[in-house]
């Protein structure tokens, strides 16, 4: 009987070990083990595409050999710090791939129990860095601390102002850039900031050579993870040309009206950019907060494997339970992060497809929900509508999201004989999708807010209010269309308008 139980325990440990290897090998981040000279003794599957080498090639090199010279000292200091305190820490480095392309990596290193080897986790942040470089090059922006001292400024703003970055950083922005504005204007916007309110308006800016330019600016507080205000972000548009041209027009009243309308449109864009900036900051924060547990999970898994290989085995049942939790948590966090970031950059390509096929696929997916079977869904499709090129998966998901919102409204308001109607038609080279329900509609005082980020009509435990905002962003940014909502006698109707091309 004892031998039988021992056999079962051994099999459980073997299975746990296999599951552990599967988790590590299938991690999205590169995970490896190297010695104190940084020579690899193990790499997982993800390291190959990150550096462009096969596994067997990586095992012949040190990790430091891939790092560019100007980043090697920071890497060595990271290893020394780990040897001294055994705590994992991280640093950004740039490596050269086999194809001679540069790759930016966020690496986390932890000293193993035997104090002879390190576990390294490498996350590819090249795209994030590239996006930041684009914003730096083309968007006028600056950051200040609470006293108005400049801590960061974009290259676009530096080029416009004529200053060098080092000449601006450390200077008070009001004394250098905004010094030509009246004390009344500066006091007004400073008062708004001190009360943690966003401020927008037009300000006169001074260039290094004494010339000036005008900006339309939106200023918002920067918060740390504890909710404390640590500084301010300035997002700006150069409106010098608009104001100069306006002053030269004979019909001043008419030109002022045109300029005001243009500024209003730009303010809308600025507000949208501000929302996207907040969204990007939130995504980065969530990604950082969730990726770190994944890295820790992976490192813990490596340490468990090492303990097992060194015959320092904990209780087998505990190992199985820990590994099962690690596997489930890693899977859930990874899929959530993937879904949360998909709205920014669509992974799938476009495809020629008919609106009828998209609606059919959306209804099939919606019907997989057991609660959906309590609701009748009807189609009204203009069959002669031609096929068009679009992001099939994303448009299908948007329709499913609208179906789910309708379903939840019907169930929340306890509507008997719930009905969802999806209508499609084609007018003037535009394809329209309408999703209507009898869920009693949306309150008039909030109907204009439902497409805003983090706004939700549901209880706090049901999501974060990103569903409709994400739909709107995908439709506008990637599908080139619009989405709006209006109430009718029995419920609400969402209308999607997409161009044929």
């Amino acid at each position: 009987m004892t031998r039988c139980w021992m056999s079962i325990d051994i099999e459980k440990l073997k299975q746990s070990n296999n599951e552990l290897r599967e988790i590590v090998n299938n991690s999205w981040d590169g995970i490896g083990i190297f010695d104190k000279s940084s020579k690899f003794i193990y790499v997982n599957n993800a390291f190959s595409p990150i550096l462009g080498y096969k596994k067997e090639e990586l095992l012949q090199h040190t990790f430091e050999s891939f790092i560019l010279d100007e980043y090697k000292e920071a890497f060595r200091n990271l290893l020394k710090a780990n040897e001294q305190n055994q705590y994992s820490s991280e640093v950004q480095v740039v490596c050269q791939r086999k194809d001679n392309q540069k790759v930016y990596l966020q690496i986390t290193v932890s000293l193993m129990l035997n104090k002879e080897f390190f576990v390294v986790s490498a996350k590819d942040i090249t795209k994030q860095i590239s996006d930041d470089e684009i914003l730096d090059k083309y968007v006028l922006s600056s950051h200040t601390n609470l006293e108005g001292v400049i801590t960061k400024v974009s290259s676009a703003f530096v080029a416009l102002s004529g200053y060098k970055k080092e000449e601006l950083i450390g200077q008070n922005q009001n004394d250098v850039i905004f010094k030509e504005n009246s004390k009344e204007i500066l006091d007004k916007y400073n008062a708004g900031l001190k009360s943690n309110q966003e401020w927008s308006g037009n300000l006169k800016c001074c260039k290094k050579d004494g010339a000036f330019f005008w900006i339309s600016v939106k200023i918002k507080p920067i918060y740390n993870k504890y909710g404390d205000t640590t500084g301010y972000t300035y997002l700006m548009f150069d409106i010098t040309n608009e104001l100069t041209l306006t002053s030269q027009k004979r019909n001043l009243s008419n030109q002022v009206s045109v300029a005001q309308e243009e500024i209003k449109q730009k303010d809308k864009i600025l507000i949208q950019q501000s929302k996207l900036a907040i969204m990007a900051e939130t995504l980065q924060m969530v990604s950082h907060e969730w990726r770190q547990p994944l890295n820790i999970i992976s490192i813990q898994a490596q340490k468990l494997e090492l303990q097992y290989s060194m015959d320092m085995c904990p209780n087998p049942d505990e190992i199985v339970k820990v590994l099962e939790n690690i596997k489930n948590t890693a899977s859930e966090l990874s899929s959530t992060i993937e879904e949360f970031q998909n709205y920014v950059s669509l992974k799938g390509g476009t495809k020629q497809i008919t609106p009828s096929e998209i609606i059919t696929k959306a209804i099939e997916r919606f019907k997989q929900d057991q609660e959906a079977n309590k609701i009748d869904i009807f189609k009204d499709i203009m069959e002669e509508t031609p096929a068009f090129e679009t992001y099939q998966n994303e448009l299908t998901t948007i329709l499913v999201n609208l179906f789910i919102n309708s379903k939840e409204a019907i169930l929340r308001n306890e509507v008997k004989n719930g009905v969802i109607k999806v209508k499609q038609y084609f007018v003037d080279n535009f394809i329209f999708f309408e999703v209507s329900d009898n869920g009693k509609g949306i309150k008039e005082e909030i109907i204009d807010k439902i497409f805003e980020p983090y706004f939700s009509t549901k209880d706090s435990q049901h999501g974060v209010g990103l569903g409709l905002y994400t739909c709107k962003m995908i439709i506008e940014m990637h599908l080139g269309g619009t989405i709006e909502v209006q109430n009718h006698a029995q419920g609400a109707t969402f209308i999607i308008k997409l161009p044929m091309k």
Side-chain angles (χ1 to χ4, degrees):
M1 187 67 176
T2 302
R3 290 182 179 180
C4 178
W5 282 111
M6 289 179 61
S7 175
I8 293 174
D9 288 344
I10 291 173
E11 288 302 317
K12 283 184 178 180
L13 289 173
K14 288 181 178 180
Q15 180 180 353
S16 300
N17 193 36
N18 290 335
E19 291 177 349
L20 175 62
R21 291 182 181 277
E22 188 71 15
I23 292 170
V24 173
N25 278 326
N26 291 326
S27 171
W28 291 350
D29 297 337
I31 297 174
I33 299 176
F34 55 64
D35 60 21
K36 291 186 177 181
S37 69
S38 83
K39 185 178 184 304
F40 280 118
I41 60 174
Y42 167 78
V43 291
N44 71 343
N45 294 333
F47 249 118
S48 290
I50 289 176
L51 294 176
Y53 289 86
K54 296 179 180 178
K55 272 189 175 183
E56 51 268 26
E57 292 176 313
L58 292 172
L59 294 175
Q60 301 302 316
H61 293 79
T62 63
F63 185 47
E64 185 176 328
S65 66
F66 299 109
I67 300 175
L68 298 187
D69 290 342
E70 56 266 37
Y71 294 90
K72 288 184 176 180
E73 183 176 355
F75 173 73
R76 293 167 187 156
N77 291 337
L78 178 67
L79 298 187
K80 290 180 181 178
N82 265 262
E83 287 189 272
Q84 293 172 0
N85 57 37
Q86 298 187 22
Y87 289 107
S88 64
S89 50
E90 59 185 25
V91 70
Q92 287 186 9
V93 298
V94 180
C95 295
Q96 186 163 340
R97 290 168 41 87
K98 189 175 183 179
D99 57 10
N100 291 324
Q101 297 295 317
K102 293 181 181 178
V103 59
Y104 292 81
L105 300 180
Q106 182 82 28
I107 63 170
T108 303
V109 173
S110 178
L111 186 65
M112 297 180 71
L113 295 178
N114 60 8
K115 299 184 179 181
E116 296 295 329
F117 301 105
F118 294 91
V119 176
V120 61
S121 175
K123 176 187 176 184
D124 186 351
I125 57 171
T126 306
K127 186 180 184 305
Q128 175 185 329
I129 296 295
S130 299
D131 291 344
D132 290 343
E133 289 176 348
I134 292 173
L135 292 174
D136 179 68
K137 187 175 181 180
Y138 295 107
V139 176
L140 301 176
S141 66
S142 67
H143 297 261
T144 70
N145 62 15
L146 295 176
E147 287 73 39
V149 176
I150 300 172
T151 57
K152 183 180 179 182
V153 64
S154 70
S155 297
F157 186 79
V158 167
L160 181 60
S161 67
Y163 287 95
K164 296 179 181 179
K165 282 192 177 183
E166 53 268 26
E167 292 175 324
L168 290 175
I169 293 175
Q171 299 294 321
N172 190 290
Q173 192 160 238
N174 289 349
D175 296 339
V176 178
I177 301 299
F178 301 148
K179 61 183 179 181
E180 289 296 323
N181 293 277
S182 67
K183 184 176 183 299
E184 181 183 359
I185 292 177
L186 295 179
D187 288 345
K188 187 175 181 180
Y189 98 72
N190 283 327
L193 296 183
K194 288 180 180 178
S195 60
N196 288 330
Q197 295 179 349
E198 294 185 0
W199 186 90
S200 61
N202 300 335
L203 293 175
K204 188 176 182 180
C205 302
C206 295
K207 293 186 177 182
K208 184 178 180 180
D209 61 6
F212 66 86
F213 60 97
W214 285 88
I215 59 169
S216 177
V217 60
K218 189 171 186 70
I219 311 170
K220 67 181 187 66
I222 301 172
Y223 301 100
N224 62 19
K225 64 181 180 179
Y226 303 108
D228 303 319
T229 303
T230 59
Y232 306 100
T233 295
Y234 296 69
L235 296 175
M236 298 167 269
F237 276 107
D238 180 7
I239 60 171
T240 307
N241 291 337
E242 289 87 338
L243 295 181
T244 302
L245 289 173
T246 299
S247 67
Q248 296 175 347
K249 298 297 180 180
R250 292 181 179 179
N251 192 344
L252 183 59
S253 61
N254 182 54
Q255 290 304 316
V256 168
S257 176
V258 172
Q260 287 176 340
E261 185 61 29
E262 289 177 352
I263 292 172
K264 285 180 181 179
Q265 293 300 320
K266 288 184 177 181
D267 281 343
K268 290 180 180 179
I269 296 173
L270 191 61
I271 291 170
Q272 191 61 43
Q273 285 186 337
S274 177
K275 290 179 179 179
L276 286 174
I278 295 171
M279 187 67 176
E281 291 170 3
T282 304
L283 286 171
Q284 290 173 4
M285 179 187 70
V286 172
S287 179
H288 176 75
E289 294 297 329
W290 288 356
R291 288 288 187 184
Q292 191 66 12
L294 285 176
N295 289 337
I296 293 173
I297 287 172
S298 297
I299 291 171
Q300 287 178 338
Q302 287 283 351
K303 290 181 179 179
L304 282 177
E305 182 183 17
L306 180 63
Q307 287 179 312
Y308 180 70
S309 63
M310 297 175 64
D311 294 327
M312 300 168 57
C313 301
N315 184 285
D317 290 332
E318 292 180 3
I319 294 177
V320 173
K321 183 177 180 181
V322 168
L323 291 176
E324 190 67 26
N325 288 337
I326 289 175
K327 182 173 67 174
N328 293 337
T329 302
S331 176
E332 291 171 4
L333 287 176
S334 297
S335 61
T336 303
I337 293 171
E338 182 69 18
E339 292 171 1
F340 201 61
Q341 293 179 330
N342 273 346
Y343 92 98
V344 176
S345 177
L346 304 185
K347 293 186 175 181
T350 59
K351 178 183 178 181
Q352 282 285 125
I353 191 169
T354 65
S356 177
E357 291 177 276
I358 289 176
I359 291 174
T360 299
K361 291 179 182 293
I363 292 175
E364 288 175 354
R365 284 175 52 183
F366 175 64
K367 285 296 186 179
Q368 294 175 6
D369 183 352
Q370 291 184 351
E371 289 183 332
N373 295 322
K374 303 175 183 178
I375 298 170
D376 293 323
I377 186 164
F378 299 97
K379 297 187 294 184
D380 182 4
I381 298 174
M382 182 183 288
E383 294 295 341
E384 57 267 32
T385 303
F388 70 115
E389 187 167 345
T390 188
Y391 289 93
Q392 171 191 338
N393 292 335
E394 284 69 25
L395 183 52
T396 302
T397 300
I398 288 170
L399 290 177
V400 173
N401 202 345
L402 296 181
F403 294 163
I404 292 173
N405 274 299
S406 292
K407 178 203 72 175
E408 290 175 347
I410 291 169
L411 297 179
R412 183 171 60 249
N413 293 315
E414 299 179 352
V415 176
K416 294 182 179 180
N417 303 319
V419 174
I420 298 174
K421 181 179 180 180
V422 55
K423 182 179 181 181
Q424 178 275 314
Y425 52 96
F426 175 71
V427 179
D428 295 332
N429 289 320
F430 286 93
I431 297 175
F432 292 81
F433 296 87
E434 292 187 3
V435 177
S436 303
D437 61 60
N438 61 345
K440 297 187 179 181
I442 303 168
K443 294 179 180 179
E444 291 298 328
E445 59 265 30
I446 65 171
I447 195 168
D448 293 331
K449 300 179 181 180
I450 64 171
F451 292 110
E452 294 182 0
Y454 311 113
F455 183 84
S456 177
T457 59
K458 308 168 190 175
D459 296 333
S460 59
Q461 64 265 31
H462 296 292
V464 294
L466 288 170
L468 291 176
Y469 176 73
T470 301
C471 292
K472 183 175 185 291
M473 287 298 98
I474 291 175
I475 290 171
E476 293 181 351
M477 294 169 60
H478 301 290
L479 304 185
T482 60
I483 182 172
E484 61 182 49
V485 63
Q486 53 190 233
N487 284 324
H488 57 81
Q490 295 180 319
T493 299
F494 287 85
I495 304 170
I496 299 172
K497 177 183 177 182
L498 302 177
M500 279 294 295
K501 296 182 180 179

